[in-house]
Amino acid sequence: MAVDFPSEEFARRLCEELNKNERYRRAARGWRWPILFRVEGPQASVGFILDLHEGECRGYKWLEDASHAQADYILAAPLEVWLDVISGKAHPMKALLARRIKLEKGSYSTIARYTIAALEITKSAKKVLEEG
Amino acid sequence: MPERVMRAAVLKEYLSPPVVEEVPAPRVEGPHEAVVRIVGSGVCHTDVHVWRGEAEAVLDIQLPLILGHEPSGVVEEAGEAVPEWLKPGTPVLVCASGFCGVEDEYTLSGRHQLCSKPEWPGLSRRQGAFAEFLHVPHYKYLIPAEGVEDLAAASLLTDAGLTAYNAVKKAAASVRPGDYVAVVGLGGVGLFALQLARRVLAARVIGVDISEEKLEFAAKTVGLGGEDLLVDASKEDAEAAIMGQTGGRGVRAVLDFVGVEQTLEKYLPLLDKTGVYVIVGLGSPFGPQIPSLDLILGERSVLGVLWGSCSDLAELAMLAKAGMVDYKSIVTRRIRLEEVGEAIERLDRGEVLGRQIVEFKP
């Protein structure tokens, strides 16, 4: 069954996929903060929080209205930017540096240390969308 | 001609230790080129950024890659146009910051590190200096080092020393002899800055760090004077300490080797009017919020520093030969090539005082 992005099903499947991704697990050692991924729309923002901790996804939370949601790290971008990153057309950290993805909360110097983990998240996300 | 091989530490996968293996050794192919036999190669925090995969977002890097961009050595082979004073056997410092793929307005005006197509060894697609030999594309990137003691330790001059020297020179216009300069972050580069601010600017220095060990190491190695000060920002009110030491006036320059959100916000307001804030640390590329009102009301400046030029390195080499900069004491570990991976991971964990170097013994 096809999975849409963004959707609750996508968030659930991504969390599962990350827990199967050994490269993610190794690269994310030391990461201990939930991340809110917010997809900005013209009227409202949806999103999901992944509870990421030491290489494991401990859970997810889908948000129909993510406009005022909080997490230790908040990454926000329009849909097309997220799709560019997931498809591999855009490097996630380059998108951050170019402010295509906004780091609304959290430390860039910390998130930059986990570039490889970020790349593995995008690979897992792509797999979820491709495999349905 | 049979292919010559050399041992090198090759990064094949991010977050994995570099693999030490035999790879083809470089040879001179053009008249202006040289090959340097590496004697010392410093381990820098930028190597950590590359190892962690962070640098891909800003540098043109491709694995597998030999890291290492802070080298000293001896000329092994020289092209026919290389001058006599750089003939084989000459000890040299390698100006890696100058390796550039084009001649542009920056390289032609001596600001080599700002080249629009950098080919820095170990930080681009060009192989680096954690290897027995390094290919140098033009002899102009070699600074003769006769008279420089402990050539292996002198490798630190080519990056840590050079970056600190550029930062100190950027502050020079704002600092008179006897003025106070604050140095924030007392890793290898900060230790050079403390020395160079004292020696080159005749400034009084205030060194700031949040690590008691780094502060103790600075006290032991830098040779501070009675009017200099070290501040433990994790335990003391750094602003009060700095304003107290300067009689309420503030410092003439801040050299920030940390460069995260907190440091500029905290230390820029401590600048005297017309003072300069020099950011060197790559802690956060967006930088903190810059308090523009403080800048305007005091006509203060914020400047960035990226490494240094080859002419800066030549000047620094002269200072080293004259005994005006102590680079030897900043070396805290001399390691073998096989230990590069472990050295990078130690640095990543914040377990290093001063600087580590790979030392190649004959």
Side-chain angles (χ1 to χ4, degrees):
Chain A
M1 187 176 78
V3 176
D4 289 332
F5 177 85
S7 66
E8 180 169 8
E9 181 63 11
F10 174 86
R12 183 186 73 78
R13 295 281 300 278
L14 178 57
C15 193
E16 277 177 7
E17 192 59 41
L18 286 175
N19 286 334
K20 295 184 218 164
N21 185 335
E22 185 54 34
R23 286 174 59 95
Y24 169 76
R25 180 184 297 277
R26 280 192 295 121
R29 267 198 311 249
W31 181 271
R32 296 185 208 105
W33 303 276
I35 303 178
L36 165 59
F37 298 87
R38 198 173 73 224
V39 184
E40 293 177 323
Q43 263 102 28
S45 300
V46 298
F48 55 92
I49 296 174
L50 293 183
D51 183 7
L52 303 174
H53 186 87
E54 295 283 356
E56 189 191 338
C57 182
R58 300 192 296 192
Y60 72 96
K61 183 177 178 182
W62 171 250
L63 300 157
E64 282 292 347
D65 181 0
S67 313
H68 303 290
Q70 284 298 314
D72 291 307
Y73 279 76
I74 300 177
L75 296 167
L79 176 64
E80 61 271 19
V81 173
W82 287 119
L83 291 176
D84 275 351
V85 169
I86 291 171
S87 69
K89 275 193 217 152
H91 188 292
M93 300 313 287
K94 288 185 184 177
L96 256 180
L97 279 171
R99 310 224 197 198
R100 295 183 71 205
I101 298 176
K102 282 181 251 164
L103 178 63
E104 288 193 357
K105 191 173 172 194
S107 160
Y108 180 87
S109 54
T110 299
I111 210 171
R113 286 171 53 77
Y114 294 90
T115 296
I116 301 303
L119 285 167
E120 289 301 323
I121 292 176
T122 61
K123 284 181 193 168
S124 291
K126 187 176 181 187
K127 194 172 176 196
V128 168
L129 288 185
E130 283 177 349
E131 292 179 0
Chain B
M1 186 183 287
E3 188 182 64
R4 192 173 64 172
V5 294
M6 67 173 182
R7 285 166 57 249
V10 185
L11 182 65
K12 298 191 172 186
E13 193 180 343
Y14 292 122
L15 296 170
S16 292
V19 175
V20 176
E21 59 186 18
E22 282 194 347
V23 299
R27 301 229 71 138
V28 161
E29 287 174 12
H32 301 99
E33 298 176 4
V35 169
V36 171
R37 177 173 57 79
I38 300 298
V39 170
S41 194
V43 182
C44 170
H45 216 97
T46 309
D47 296 316
V48 174
H49 291 308
V50 176
W51 173 73
R52 290 196 70 94
E54 297 171 44
E56 261 197 9
V58 291
L59 297 173
D60 181 22
I61 280 181
Q62 191 173 59
L63 300 190
L65 178 67
I66 302 170
L67 302 185
H69 57 273
E70 191 176 56
S72 61
V74 176
V75 178
E76 175 79 6
E77 194 183 339
E80 61 203 27
V82 176
E84 183 63 15
W85 42 272
L86 285 171
K87 63 179 187 277
T90 306
V92 290
L93 304 179
V94 180
C95 181
S97 64
F99 285 35
C100 182
V102 294
E103 291 278 27
D104 62 15
E105 60 178 292
Y106 301 107
T107 59
L108 289 171
S109 62
R111 293 171 292 176
H112 308 93
Q113 73 277 21
L114 299 179
C115 154
S116 47
K117 196 169 176 277
E119 292 183 358
W120 303 322
L123 298 175
S124 66
R125 295 186 185 221
R126 177 174 283 277
Q127 301 303 325
F130 289 152
E132 291 178 297
F133 298 96
L134 179 72
H135 180 264
V136 179
H138 198 291
Y139 67 84
K140 64 186 174 185
Y141 305 133
L142 296 177
I143 309 295
E146 284 109 342
V148 172
E149 293 178 3
D150 193 346
L151 184 60
S155 60
L156 300 191
L157 297 172
T158 66
D159 182 8
L162 179 56
T163 304
Y165 187 53
N166 189 11
V168 165
K169 286 180 79 175
K170 285 260 168 108
S174 297
V175 178
R176 296 155 302 195
D179 280 344
Y180 273 102
V181 170
V183 175
V184 180
L186 301 182
V189 191
L191 292 171
F192 273 109
L194 280 178
Q195 294 185 55
L196 290 166
R198 295 185 77 246
R199 290 292 178 91
V200 175
L201 304 181
R204 292 180 282 184
V205 293
I206 302 174
V208 185
D209 204 286
I210 56 173
S211 157
E212 189 177 333
E213 279 180 316
K214 286 187 177 172
L215 289 158
E216 283 171 1
F217 188 70
K220 202 170 70 169
T221 52
V222 175
L224 299 169
E227 291 178 311
D228 300 319
L229 179 70
L230 290 175
V231 177
D232 184 344
S234 70
K235 293 185 182 140
E236 304 172 56
D237 180 340
E239 293 101 315
I242 290 171
M243 294 309 273
Q245 185 75 5
T246 59
R249 190 172 174 173
V251 294
R252 293 297 307 159
V254 175
L255 309 182
D256 184 351
F257 295 98
V258 179
V260 293
E261 290 87 350
Q262 295 84 357
T263 51
L264 194 141
E265 285 162 3
K266 189 168 177 175
Y267 297 107
L268 188 137
L270 305 184
L271 275 179
D272 190 7
K273 288 181 183 176
T274 72
V276 62
Y277 198 101
V278 183
I279 300 182
V280 186
L282 276 169
S284 177
F286 303 139
Q289 302 286 339
I290 293 188
S292 47
L293 192 61
D294 281 334
L295 286 184
I296 293 164
L297 292 181
E299 294 198 357
R300 299 172 176 91
S301 308
V302 178
L303 300 175
V305 159
L306 173 71
W307 216 335
S309 71
C310 297
S311 44
D312 286 337
L313 182 57
E315 290 172 16
L316 188 59
M318 284 169 45
L319 291 173
K321 287 179 202 178
M324 291 179 68
V325 57
D326 179 3
Y327 48 91
K328 289 177 268 184
S329 301
I330 296 178
V331 175
T332 51
R333 281 184 89 217
R334 295 177 189 244
I335 64 172
R336 294 172 296 113
L337 189 63
E338 289 74 11
E339 297 172 287
V340 161
E342 185 240 337
I344 290 174
E345 292 189 41
R346 288 182 82 235
L347 189 55
D348 183 44
R349 291 192 300 263
E351 294 171 4
V352 177
L353 292 177
R355 203 84 157 179
Q356 307 168 100
I357 62 169
V358 181
E359 185 168 24
F360 293 83
K361 295 191 174 157

